[in-house]
Structure formats: structure tokens, C-alpha cells
Amino acid sequence: MNTIQLIKQCKQNNYKAQIEVYNAYKNMMLGAALRILKNREEAEDIVQYCFIKAFEKIHQLKEDANLGGWLKRIVINKSLDIARSKYNFIITDELEILENEPEDVEDENSI
């Protein structure tokens, strides 16, 4: 089955099509989650969660969309959410930090 047919079948809640999507994309999604979370069990849980959410929301996906890209974006976003809450860090743009950093001003008395 091609991707367009898979998406159509998944929208009709076809279990066989869902299994085919799962088998085709599970390793890619697990790899993405592992790179972010650095924990295999946690990454496997996230992948399962993301497949469930994806199949619940697949009706929102256009039939000619990039299914792999859409699934990867879901798993990356969820993995980043977990990493942020677990490690309590903020992902920001380095340029933004540099732009907001105060410039060094030399003290006239030090010369």
C-alpha cells in the first residue's frame, strides 16, 4: 500500500493499515526519541503514546502529507516536552541570548 492509501485506511480506523504504519515508522520514531531522552524505556513509552495520539488525530492529516515527517514531529515534540519537565531546562535560540547579552563596557578609571 502506498502512503496515500495508508492514510485513507487509517482514517477509516483500519487495524491492518495501522499495523503497517507502526511497523514502517516505529524505528525512526524510537531513534528520534532516544536521541532526545537518552533512556530506552522512556523512549519506547513515548513512541507508543505518540502512535496512539497520531491515530486519534489522523483525520486532521491531509492524504498527500508526509506521514513519516508528521509522525516524527509528534514524537520529537512529546520527547522535548518530557525532557523539559524532567530536566527543567529551557531550549532557546543562541542568537537570542547573544543579542540580549549586555556589552562589556570598559571602566574609564581602569585605563
Side-chain angles (χ1 to χ4, degrees):
M1 230 183 289
N2 68 29
T3 307
I4 293 173
Q5 291 171 328
L6 274 176
I7 293 171
K8 284 180 183 178
Q9 292 296 313
C10 287
K11 286 181 177 184
Q12 295 172 0
N13 208 21
N14 181 316
Y15 181 71
K16 193 173 183 178
Q18 291 173 340
I19 291 295
E20 193 171 331
V21 168
Y22 175 80
N23 288 328
Y25 295 103
K26 67 180 176 185
N27 292 332
M28 178 259 315
M29 292 174 70
L30 181 62
L34 270 171
R35 281 189 290 282
I36 295 168
L37 297 171
K38 311 285 190 238
N39 179 304
R40 184 166 195 85
E41 292 80 25
E42 203 168 30
E44 288 171 350
D45 289 344
I46 294 302
V47 169
Q48 295 301 318
Y49 172 84
C50 289
F51 269 113
I52 291 167
K53 285 298 172 190
F55 290 133
E56 288 175 356
K57 305 279 184 178
I58 199 152
H59 64 278
Q60 297 173 355
L61 185 65
K62 294 179 183 174
E63 291 174 359
D64 62 344
N66 180 346
L67 181 59
W70 183 68
L71 291 169
K72 192 170 187 175
R73 178 71 356 214
I74 293 170
V75 80
I76 288 171
N77 288 341
K78 185 62 179 174
S79 297
L80 288 173
D81 288 346
I82 297 297
R84 282 186 202 108
S85 66
K86 185 176 179 181
Y87 301 111
N88 201 19
F89 67 89
I90 300 170
I91 298 174
T92 185
D93 185 11
E94 291 175 17
L95 256 178
E96 182 181 320
I97 293 170
L98 293 173
E99 289 172 353
N100 294 330
E101 193 171 278
E103 293 183 26
D104 290 336
V105 179
E106 289 188 28
D107 185 12
E108 291 177 7
N109 296 330
S110 66
I111 302 178

mmCIF file of all heavy atoms in Angstrom, residues 1-10 13-29 51 55 58 67-68 71:
data_model
loop_
_atom_site.group_PDB
_atom_site.id
_atom_site.type_symbol
_atom_site.label_atom_id
_atom_site.label_comp_id
_atom_site.label_asym_id
_atom_site.label_seq_id
_atom_site.Cartn_x
_atom_site.Cartn_y
_atom_site.Cartn_z
ATOM 1 N N MET A 1 0.843 -1.181 0.000
ATOM 2 C CA MET A 1 0.000 0.000 0.000
ATOM 3 C C MET A 1 0.889 1.246 0.000
ATOM 4 O O MET A 1 1.855 1.297 0.738
ATOM 5 C CB MET A 1 -0.853 -0.008 1.284
ATOM 6 C CG MET A 1 -2.301 0.200 1.041
ATOM 7 S SD MET A 1 -3.331 0.288 2.532
ATOM 8 C CE MET A 1 -3.340 -1.374 3.142
ATOM 9 N N ASN A 2 0.530 2.238 -0.791
ATOM 10 C CA ASN A 2 1.299 3.478 -0.766
ATOM 11 C C ASN A 2 0.817 4.363 0.389
ATOM 12 O O ASN A 2 -0.166 4.061 1.066
ATOM 13 C CB ASN A 2 1.240 4.202 -2.121
ATOM 14 C CG ASN A 2 -0.132 4.753 -2.446
ATOM 15 O OD1 ASN A 2 -0.907 5.096 -1.566
ATOM 16 N ND2 ASN A 2 -0.433 4.836 -3.733
ATOM 17 N N THR A 3 1.520 5.449 0.612
ATOM 18 C CA THR A 3 1.244 6.304 1.765
ATOM 19 C C THR A 3 -0.154 6.905 1.733
ATOM 20 O O THR A 3 -0.830 6.956 2.760
ATOM 21 C CB THR A 3 2.301 7.426 1.853
ATOM 22 O OG1 THR A 3 3.603 6.839 1.837
ATOM 23 C CG2 THR A 3 2.138 8.228 3.120
ATOM 24 N N ILE A 4 -0.595 7.332 0.570
ATOM 25 C CA ILE A 4 -1.936 7.931 0.458
ATOM 26 C C ILE A 4 -3.001 6.908 0.847
ATOM 27 O O ILE A 4 -3.930 7.214 1.593
ATOM 28 C CB ILE A 4 -2.177 8.501 -0.960
ATOM 29 C CG1 ILE A 4 -1.244 9.700 -1.195
ATOM 30 C CG2 ILE A 4 -3.635 8.905 -1.152
ATOM 31 C CD1 ILE A 4 -1.259 10.238 -2.604
ATOM 32 N N GLN A 5 -2.848 5.684 0.353
ATOM 33 C CA GLN A 5 -3.801 4.633 0.707
ATOM 34 C C GLN A 5 -3.735 4.309 2.195
ATOM 35 O O GLN A 5 -4.765 4.070 2.827
ATOM 36 C CB GLN A 5 -3.522 3.375 -0.116
ATOM 37 C CG GLN A 5 -3.835 3.524 -1.583
ATOM 38 C CD GLN A 5 -3.344 2.329 -2.395
ATOM 39 O OE1 GLN A 5 -2.337 1.712 -2.059
ATOM 40 N NE2 GLN A 5 -4.072 2.020 -3.463
ATOM 41 N N LEU A 6 -2.523 4.295 2.749
ATOM 42 C CA LEU A 6 -2.371 4.022 4.189
ATOM 43 C C LEU A 6 -3.096 5.070 5.034
ATOM 44 O O LEU A 6 -3.801 4.735 5.986
ATOM 45 C CB LEU A 6 -0.888 3.995 4.583
ATOM 46 C CG LEU A 6 -0.157 2.692 4.420
ATOM 47 C CD1 LEU A 6 1.317 2.855 4.763
ATOM 48 C CD2 LEU A 6 -0.771 1.610 5.276
ATOM 49 N N ILE A 7 -2.907 6.321 4.666
ATOM 50 C CA ILE A 7 -3.571 7.403 5.412
ATOM 51 C C ILE A 7 -5.085 7.260 5.313
ATOM 52 O O ILE A 7 -5.792 7.377 6.319
ATOM 53 C CB ILE A 7 -3.093 8.785 4.916
ATOM 54 C CG1 ILE A 7 -1.609 8.987 5.269
ATOM 55 C CG2 ILE A 7 -3.941 9.909 5.518
ATOM 56 C CD1 ILE A 7 -0.976 10.214 4.636
ATOM 57 N N LYS A 8 -5.593 6.983 4.106
ATOM 58 C CA LYS A 8 -7.036 6.799 3.928
ATOM 59 C C LYS A 8 -7.552 5.654 4.791
ATOM 60 O O LYS A 8 -8.580 5.765 5.459
ATOM 61 C CB LYS A 8 -7.373 6.519 2.460
ATOM 62 C CG LYS A 8 -7.337 7.723 1.566
ATOM 63 C CD LYS A 8 -7.686 7.336 0.138
ATOM 64 C CE LYS A 8 -7.584 8.523 -0.795
ATOM 65 N NZ LYS A 8 -7.882 8.152 -2.192
ATOM 66 N N GLN A 9 -6.822 4.533 4.772
ATOM 67 C CA GLN A 9 -7.240 3.366 5.557
ATOM 68 C C GLN A 9 -7.165 3.643 7.061
ATOM 69 O O GLN A 9 -8.039 3.212 7.822
ATOM 70 C CB GLN A 9 -6.363 2.153 5.204
ATOM 71 C CG GLN A 9 -6.586 1.631 3.804
ATOM 72 C CD GLN A 9 -7.995 1.084 3.615
ATOM 73 O OE1 GLN A 9 -8.488 0.323 4.437
ATOM 74 N NE2 GLN A 9 -8.646 1.493 2.539
ATOM 75 N N CYS A 10 -6.133 4.346 7.491
ATOM 76 C CA CYS A 10 -6.021 4.685 8.924
ATOM 77 C C CYS A 10 -7.145 5.618 9.360
ATOM 78 O O CYS A 10 -7.644 5.514 10.484
ATOM 79 C CB CYS A 10 -4.660 5.304 9.216
ATOM 80 S SG CYS A 10 -3.296 4.122 9.181
ATOM 81 N N ASN A 13 -9.992 3.819 10.384
ATOM 82 C CA ASN A 13 -9.700 3.004 11.566
ATOM 83 C C ASN A 13 -9.408 1.542 11.199
ATOM 84 O O ASN A 13 -9.761 0.623 11.925
ATOM 85 C CB ASN A 13 -10.826 3.099 12.590
ATOM 86 C CG ASN A 13 -10.328 2.885 13.995
ATOM 87 O OD1 ASN A 13 -9.150 3.034 14.273
ATOM 88 N ND2 ASN A 13 -11.245 2.511 14.874
ATOM 89 N N ASN A 14 -8.734 1.349 10.066
ATOM 90 C CA ASN A 14 -8.361 0.018 9.601
ATOM 91 C C ASN A 14 -7.136 -0.458 10.385
ATOM 92 O O ASN A 14 -6.040 0.086 10.256
ATOM 93 C CB ASN A 14 -8.051 0.060 8.104
ATOM 94 C CG ASN A 14 -7.686 -1.289 7.536
ATOM 95 O OD1 ASN A 14 -6.920 -2.040 8.113
ATOM 96 N ND2 ASN A 14 -8.251 -1.583 6.375
ATOM 97 N N TYR A 15 -7.319 -1.495 11.185
ATOM 98 C CA TYR A 15 -6.266 -2.006 12.063
ATOM 99 C C TYR A 15 -5.055 -2.500 11.269
ATOM 100 O O TYR A 15 -3.915 -2.267 11.663
ATOM 101 C CB TYR A 15 -6.820 -3.125 12.946
ATOM 102 C CG TYR A 15 -5.818 -3.701 13.903
ATOM 103 C CD1 TYR A 15 -5.386 -2.965 15.002
ATOM 104 C CD2 TYR A 15 -5.289 -4.977 13.709
ATOM 105 C CE1 TYR A 15 -4.456 -3.486 15.881
ATOM 106 C CE2 TYR A 15 -4.353 -5.505 14.586
ATOM 107 C CZ TYR A 15 -3.941 -4.752 15.672
ATOM 108 O OH TYR A 15 -3.014 -5.265 16.538
ATOM 109 N N LYS A 16 -5.284 -3.160 10.149
ATOM 110 C CA LYS A 16 -4.195 -3.681 9.331
ATOM 111 C C LYS A 16 -3.317 -2.538 8.802
ATOM 112 O O LYS A 16 -2.086 -2.638 8.804
ATOM 113 C CB LYS A 16 -4.777 -4.496 8.173
ATOM 114 C CG LYS A 16 -3.784 -5.334 7.444
ATOM 115 C CD LYS A 16 -4.509 -6.221 6.428
ATOM 116 C CE LYS A 16 -3.516 -7.133 5.742
ATOM 117 N NZ LYS A 16 -4.165 -8.032 4.800
ATOM 118 N N ALA A 17 -3.933 -1.459 8.387
ATOM 119 C CA ALA A 17 -3.194 -0.292 7.908
ATOM 120 C C ALA A 17 -2.417 0.359 9.050
ATOM 121 O O ALA A 17 -1.272 0.795 8.871
ATOM 122 C CB ALA A 17 -4.142 0.721 7.275
ATOM 123 N N GLN A 18 -3.022 0.417 10.231
ATOM 124 C CA GLN A 18 -2.336 0.989 11.386
ATOM 125 C C GLN A 18 -1.095 0.178 11.756
ATOM 126 O O GLN A 18 -0.052 0.742 12.074
ATOM 127 C CB GLN A 18 -3.289 1.089 12.578
ATOM 128 C CG GLN A 18 -4.372 2.115 12.379
ATOM 129 C CD GLN A 18 -5.419 2.095 13.477
ATOM 130 O OE1 GLN A 18 -5.580 1.113 14.196
ATOM 131 N NE2 GLN A 18 -6.145 3.202 13.605
ATOM 132 N N ILE A 19 -1.213 -1.142 11.696
ATOM 133 C CA ILE A 19 -0.060 -2.012 11.970
ATOM 134 C C ILE A 19 1.037 -1.778 10.935
ATOM 135 O O ILE A 19 2.229 -1.732 11.265
ATOM 136 C CB ILE A 19 -0.482 -3.503 11.993
ATOM 137 C CG1 ILE A 19 -1.364 -3.785 13.203
ATOM 138 C CG2 ILE A 19 0.723 -4.433 11.970
ATOM 139 C CD1 ILE A 19 -0.672 -3.620 14.541
ATOM 140 N N GLU A 20 0.644 -1.606 9.684
ATOM 141 C CA GLU A 20 1.626 -1.345 8.627
ATOM 142 C C GLU A 20 2.354 -0.017 8.870
ATOM 143 O O GLU A 20 3.574 0.067 8.713
ATOM 144 C CB GLU A 20 0.926 -1.337 7.260
ATOM 145 C CG GLU A 20 1.896 -1.376 6.105
ATOM 146 C CD GLU A 20 1.205 -1.585 4.764
ATOM 147 O OE1 GLU A 20 0.129 -2.214 4.725
ATOM 148 O OE2 GLU A 20 1.761 -1.111 3.760
ATOM 149 N N VAL A 21 1.619 1.006 9.275
ATOM 150 C CA VAL A 21 2.228 2.298 9.600
ATOM 151 C C VAL A 21 3.169 2.135 10.796
ATOM 152 O O VAL A 21 4.305 2.625 10.787
ATOM 153 C CB VAL A 21 1.149 3.370 9.893
ATOM 154 C CG1 VAL A 21 1.752 4.625 10.501
ATOM 155 C CG2 VAL A 21 0.385 3.706 8.619
ATOM 156 N N TYR A 22 2.704 1.430 11.809
ATOM 157 C CA TYR A 22 3.517 1.213 13.005
ATOM 158 C C TYR A 22 4.837 0.526 12.642
ATOM 159 O O TYR A 22 5.913 0.976 13.034
ATOM 160 C CB TYR A 22 2.744 0.377 14.025
ATOM 161 C CG TYR A 22 3.552 0.019 15.239
ATOM 162 C CD1 TYR A 22 3.729 0.935 16.270
ATOM 163 C CD2 TYR A 22 4.173 -1.226 15.348
ATOM 164 C CE1 TYR A 22 4.488 0.621 17.383
ATOM 165 C CE2 TYR A 22 4.939 -1.551 16.451
ATOM 166 C CZ TYR A 22 5.091 -0.624 17.471
ATOM 167 O OH TYR A 22 5.860 -0.944 18.564
ATOM 168 N N ASN A 23 4.762 -0.558 11.879
ATOM 169 C CA ASN A 23 5.963 -1.302 11.508
ATOM 170 C C ASN A 23 6.900 -0.486 10.618
ATOM 171 O O ASN A 23 8.121 -0.626 10.695
ATOM 172 C CB ASN A 23 5.600 -2.620 10.830
ATOM 173 C CG ASN A 23 5.029 -3.617 11.812
ATOM 174 O OD1 ASN A 23 5.398 -3.643 12.995
ATOM 175 N ND2 ASN A 23 4.120 -4.454 11.347
ATOM 176 N N ALA A 24 6.346 0.377 9.799
ATOM 177 C CA ALA A 24 7.159 1.185 8.889
ATOM 178 C C ALA A 24 7.890 2.324 9.595
ATOM 179 O O ALA A 24 8.994 2.698 9.191
ATOM 180 C CB ALA A 24 6.280 1.742 7.769
ATOM 181 N N TYR A 25 7.306 2.862 10.663
ATOM 182 C CA TYR A 25 7.849 4.079 11.267
ATOM 183 C C TYR A 25 8.326 3.948 12.713
ATOM 184 O O TYR A 25 8.894 4.893 13.255
ATOM 185 C CB TYR A 25 6.806 5.210 11.177
ATOM 186 C CG TYR A 25 6.512 5.608 9.762
ATOM 187 C CD1 TYR A 25 5.345 5.194 9.131
ATOM 188 C CD2 TYR A 25 7.405 6.383 9.037
ATOM 189 C CE1 TYR A 25 5.078 5.552 7.826
ATOM 190 C CE2 TYR A 25 7.150 6.740 7.730
ATOM 191 C CZ TYR A 25 5.983 6.327 7.125
ATOM 192 O OH TYR A 25 5.719 6.686 5.827
ATOM 193 N N LYS A 26 8.136 2.802 13.337
ATOM 194 C CA LYS A 26 8.486 2.668 14.758
ATOM 195 C C LYS A 26 9.970 2.889 15.027
ATOM 196 O O LYS A 26 10.323 3.560 16.002
ATOM 197 C CB LYS A 26 8.033 1.320 15.304
ATOM 198 C CG LYS A 26 8.772 0.129 14.723
ATOM 199 C CD LYS A 26 8.288 -1.182 15.278
ATOM 200 C CE LYS A 26 9.013 -2.326 14.569
ATOM 201 N NZ LYS A 26 8.522 -3.603 14.963
ATOM 202 N N ASN A 27 10.842 2.356 14.181
ATOM 203 C CA ASN A 27 12.285 2.515 14.419
ATOM 204 C C ASN A 27 12.738 3.960 14.255
ATOM 205 O O ASN A 27 13.571 4.449 15.028
ATOM 206 C CB ASN A 27 13.084 1.593 13.498
ATOM 207 C CG ASN A 27 12.889 0.135 13.840
ATOM 208 O OD1 ASN A 27 12.613 -0.208 14.989
ATOM 209 N ND2 ASN A 27 13.003 -0.717 12.852
ATOM 210 N N MET A 28 12.208 4.645 13.261
ATOM 211 C CA MET A 28 12.540 6.049 13.049
ATOM 212 C C MET A 28 12.101 6.887 14.250
ATOM 213 O O MET A 28 12.845 7.725 14.743
ATOM 214 C CB MET A 28 11.866 6.545 11.764
ATOM 215 C CG MET A 28 12.098 8.000 11.443
ATOM 216 S SD MET A 28 10.756 9.161 11.850
ATOM 217 C CE MET A 28 9.287 8.396 11.308
ATOM 218 N N MET A 29 10.902 6.615 14.740
ATOM 219 C CA MET A 29 10.384 7.366 15.882
ATOM 220 C C MET A 29 11.169 7.045 17.159
ATOM 221 O O MET A 29 11.461 7.937 17.952
ATOM 222 C CB MET A 29 8.892 7.098 16.064
ATOM 223 C CG MET A 29 8.049 7.678 14.936
ATOM 224 S SD MET A 29 6.315 7.229 15.046
ATOM 225 C CE MET A 29 5.785 8.163 16.461
ATOM 226 N N PHE A 51 2.047 7.054 18.834
ATOM 227 C CA PHE A 51 1.251 6.323 17.837
ATOM 228 C C PHE A 51 -0.238 6.391 18.188
ATOM 229 O O PHE A 51 -1.081 6.594 17.311
ATOM 230 C CB PHE A 51 1.700 4.861 17.715
ATOM 231 C CG PHE A 51 2.765 4.646 16.679
ATOM 232 C CD1 PHE A 51 4.038 4.267 17.059
ATOM 233 C CD2 PHE A 51 2.490 4.835 15.334
ATOM 234 C CE1 PHE A 51 5.019 4.071 16.100
ATOM 235 C CE2 PHE A 51 3.471 4.642 14.369
ATOM 236 C CZ PHE A 51 4.740 4.262 14.760
ATOM 237 N N PHE A 55 -2.941 8.178 15.688
ATOM 238 C CA PHE A 55 -4.110 7.516 15.118
ATOM 239 C C PHE A 55 -5.410 8.183 15.562
ATOM 240 O O PHE A 55 -6.399 8.160 14.832
ATOM 241 C CB PHE A 55 -4.100 6.021 15.435
ATOM 242 C CG PHE A 55 -3.026 5.258 14.716
ATOM 243 C CD1 PHE A 55 -2.218 4.367 15.389
ATOM 244 C CD2 PHE A 55 -2.816 5.441 13.352
ATOM 245 C CE1 PHE A 55 -1.216 3.666 14.721
ATOM 246 C CE2 PHE A 55 -1.821 4.749 12.676
ATOM 247 C CZ PHE A 55 -1.019 3.862 13.361
ATOM 248 N N ILE A 58 -5.369 11.390 13.180
ATOM 249 C CA ILE A 58 -5.019 11.211 11.773
ATOM 250 C C ILE A 58 -6.043 11.835 10.822
ATOM 251 O O ILE A 58 -5.712 12.198 9.701
ATOM 252 C CB ILE A 58 -4.761 9.728 11.431
ATOM 253 C CG1 ILE A 58 -3.971 9.654 10.125
ATOM 254 C CG2 ILE A 58 -6.055 8.937 11.386
ATOM 255 C CD1 ILE A 58 -3.107 8.464 9.990
ATOM 256 N N LEU A 67 3.658 11.463 5.853
ATOM 257 C CA LEU A 67 3.268 10.729 7.055
ATOM 258 C C LEU A 67 4.452 10.551 8.003
ATOM 259 O O LEU A 67 4.324 10.769 9.205
ATOM 260 C CB LEU A 67 2.668 9.374 6.676
ATOM 261 C CG LEU A 67 2.192 8.487 7.825
ATOM 262 C CD1 LEU A 67 1.123 9.188 8.655
ATOM 263 C CD2 LEU A 67 1.669 7.160 7.284
ATOM 264 N N GLY A 68 5.604 10.180 7.467
ATOM 265 C CA GLY A 68 6.788 9.992 8.304
ATOM 266 C C GLY A 68 7.214 11.270 8.998
ATOM 267 O O GLY A 68 7.550 11.270 10.185
ATOM 268 N N LEU A 71 4.675 12.054 11.812
ATOM 269 C CA LEU A 71 4.877 11.194 12.978
ATOM 270 C C LEU A 71 6.147 11.577 13.737
ATOM 271 O O LEU A 71 6.155 11.611 14.974
ATOM 272 C CB LEU A 71 4.949 9.723 12.553
ATOM 273 C CG LEU A 71 3.656 9.111 12.036
ATOM 274 C CD1 LEU A 71 3.917 7.758 11.397
ATOM 275 C CD2 LEU A 71 2.626 8.998 13.153
#
